[in-house]
């Protein structure tokens, strides 16, 4: 199995036995690809827009809601219990605060996510029912990734969007974690202590690769949705004043998003 082969060697060519090391090795190429999606490159350049950030929050909410529902439901499972840290890591409430800040009190009626996000959530719920040990792969790649980059990305977002306060940036803050580096060490230690058969470990490594692929699909779908929506809004702006479409940029972009949903085959879900 290619994933297992790549996971057994670290950068010096030596075999690594820890699950965290094996996941890192198995997903190295996928990690690079995720960082080079158009949406993430915009982040790295400090060019994230408010619209990009808002649709990203919508997808993150759908993903974390599914992940945390399944972690809660399987909290006593022998593979989940060691890495179950709801007080320190849970993101759903933070995302709800951010979404309410940007969309208002009825934000649930205004959430738009692409089909790739829906597939990601379905996958999390499926393994939560059928193979809870695979949740380890998703929890590790999501939580430790967000914990590692949270402070930096939060500052980039605040600067790019010109936000004067921390409102709308709750997702990036982990008030229950006083030292991210120490906590990551604890998390990896707990994860490495999980007892898995060779077959189960191989499945976890494959699922970690799948987790990155699902994230890449979400990023790509979001960018396609935004590109089509922007193009549609621009086309309407170029039309004559007698056009039926209202001139408000917000309304124009909303119409653009609806066209995008139909054009690239994504879905709208009230969460």
């Amino acid at each position: 199995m290619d994933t297992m082969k790549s996971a057994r060697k670290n950068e010096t060519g030596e075999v690594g036995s820890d699950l965290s090391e094996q996941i890192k090795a198995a997903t190295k190429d996928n990690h690079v690809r995720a960082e080079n999606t158009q949406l993430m490159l915009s982040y790295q350049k400090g060019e994230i827009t408010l619209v990009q950030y808002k649709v990203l929050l919508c997808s993150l909410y759908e993903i974390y809601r599914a992940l945390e529902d399944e972690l809660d439901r399987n909290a006593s499972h022998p593979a989940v219990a060691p890495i179950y840290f709801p007080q320190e890591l849970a993101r759903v409430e933070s995302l709800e605060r951010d979404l309410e800040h940007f969309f208002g009190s009825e934000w649930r009626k205004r959430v738009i996510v692409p089909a790739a996000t829906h597939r990601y959530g379905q996958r999390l719920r499926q393994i939560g029912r059928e193979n809870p040990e695979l949740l380890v792969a998703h929890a590790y790649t999501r939580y430790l990734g967000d914990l590692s980059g949270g402070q930096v990305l939060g500052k980039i977002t605040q600067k790019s969007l010109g936000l004067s306060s921390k409102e709308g940036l709750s997702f990036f803050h982990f008030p229950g974690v006083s030292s991210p580096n120490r906590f990551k060490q604890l998390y990896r230690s707990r994860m490495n202590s999980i007892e898995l058969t060779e077959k189960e470990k191989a499945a976890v490594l494959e699922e970690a690769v799948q987790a990155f692929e699902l994230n890449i699909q979400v990023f790509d779908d979001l960018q396609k949705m935004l590109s089509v929506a922007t193009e549609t809004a621009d086309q309407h702006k170029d039309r004559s004043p007698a056009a039926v479409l209202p001139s408000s940029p917000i309304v124009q972009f909303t119409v653009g998003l609806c066209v995008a949903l139909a054009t690239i085959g994504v879905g709208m879900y009230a969460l």
Side-chain angles (χ1 to χ4, degrees):
M1 187 177 295
D2 292 341
T3 301
M4 282 295 290
K5 289 179 181 178
S6 62
R8 292 186 182 281
K9 293 185 178 182
N10 59 26
E11 292 180 357
T12 63
E14 298 174 347
V15 175
S17 59
D18 288 343
L19 181 59
S20 60
E21 291 180 5
Q22 292 188 10
I23 288 179
K24 184 177 180 180
T27 60
K28 183 178 180 181
D29 292 341
N30 309 83
H31 196 167
V32 172
R33 286 179 53 230
E35 289 179 337
N36 283 280
T37 57
Q38 189 172 346
L39 191 62
M40 289 300 100
L41 287 174
S42 294
Y43 244 117
Q44 294 170 34
K45 295 175 183 176
E47 298 173 352
I48 189 75
T49 66
L50 180 58
V51 173
Q52 284 178 315
Y53 182 54
K54 287 164 72 172
V55 296
L56 178 60
L57 286 176
C58 291
S59 281
L60 288 172
Y61 176 72
E62 170 80 350
I63 292 164
Y64 272 109
R65 189 174 67 140
L67 176 60
E68 292 177 4
D69 280 352
E70 297 308 317
L71 288 174
D72 290 345
R73 195 159 63 86
N74 291 283
S76 61
H77 189 279
V80 175
I83 50 93
Y84 183 63
F85 291 95
Q87 298 300 317
E88 293 83 359
L89 296 177
R91 298 288 84 200
V92 168
E93 290 186 7
S94 297
L95 285 162
E96 288 176 343
R97 287 195 296 272
D98 290 341
L99 288 167
E100 184 171 359
H101 173 74
F102 288 113
F103 291 102
S105 59
E106 297 196 353
W107 58 269
R108 284 180 174 82
K109 298 179 181 179
R110 303 179 62 188
V111 165
I112 297 175
V113 298
T117 302
H118 190 54
R119 290 195 299 270
Y120 196 164
Q122 287 179 324
R123 177 59 182 169
L124 290 167
R125 295 189 187 283
Q126 178 188 3
I127 64 175
R129 292 190 306 269
E130 301 173 3
N131 304 98
E133 67 275 4
L134 299 183
L135 291 170
V136 173
H138 291 274
Y140 176 73
T141 54
R142 283 241 58 95
Y143 286 126
L144 264 64
D146 292 329
L147 189 60
S148 297
Q151 296 300 312
V152 174
L153 292 179
K155 290 178 181 178
I156 290 175
T157 304
Q158 185 174 21
K159 182 177 180 181
S160 297
L161 303 184
L163 301 177
S164 58
S165 68
K166 300 294 184 181
E167 291 186 351
L169 300 170
S170 298
F171 172 72
F172 298 109
H173 299 287
F174 291 78
V177 178
S178 58
S179 171
N181 287 334
R182 284 200 298 269
F183 184 84
K184 285 187 289 184
Q185 290 175 356
L186 169 65
Y187 193 98
R188 291 190 184 98
S189 176
R190 290 281 193 91
M191 189 174 75
N192 293 335
S193 73
I194 297 172
E195 295 184 4
L196 298 170
T197 65
E198 284 301 308
K199 182 177 180 180
E200 288 171 336
K201 181 177 284 189
V204 169
L205 294 177
E206 291 289 346
E207 193 65 28
V209 172
Q210 177 70 359
F212 272 97
E213 289 304 310
L214 288 167
N215 274 291
I216 290 169
Q217 291 170 19
V218 169
F219 295 154
D220 287 345
D221 261 17
L222 285 174
Q223 193 58 50
K224 290 175 186 175
M225 186 173 72
L226 289 167
S227 297
V228 174
T230 301
E231 181 180 344
T232 303
D234 289 343
Q235 288 174 353
H236 281 294
K237 279 193 291 186
D238 292 338
R239 290 183 179 180
S240 67
V244 176
L245 185 72
S247 60
S248 165
I250 295 176
V251 175
Q252 289 177 343
F253 193 82
T254 301
V255 172
L257 280 178
C258 292
V259 173
L261 293 171
T263 302
I264 66 172
V266 298
M268 182 183 294
Y269 304 93
L271 303 180

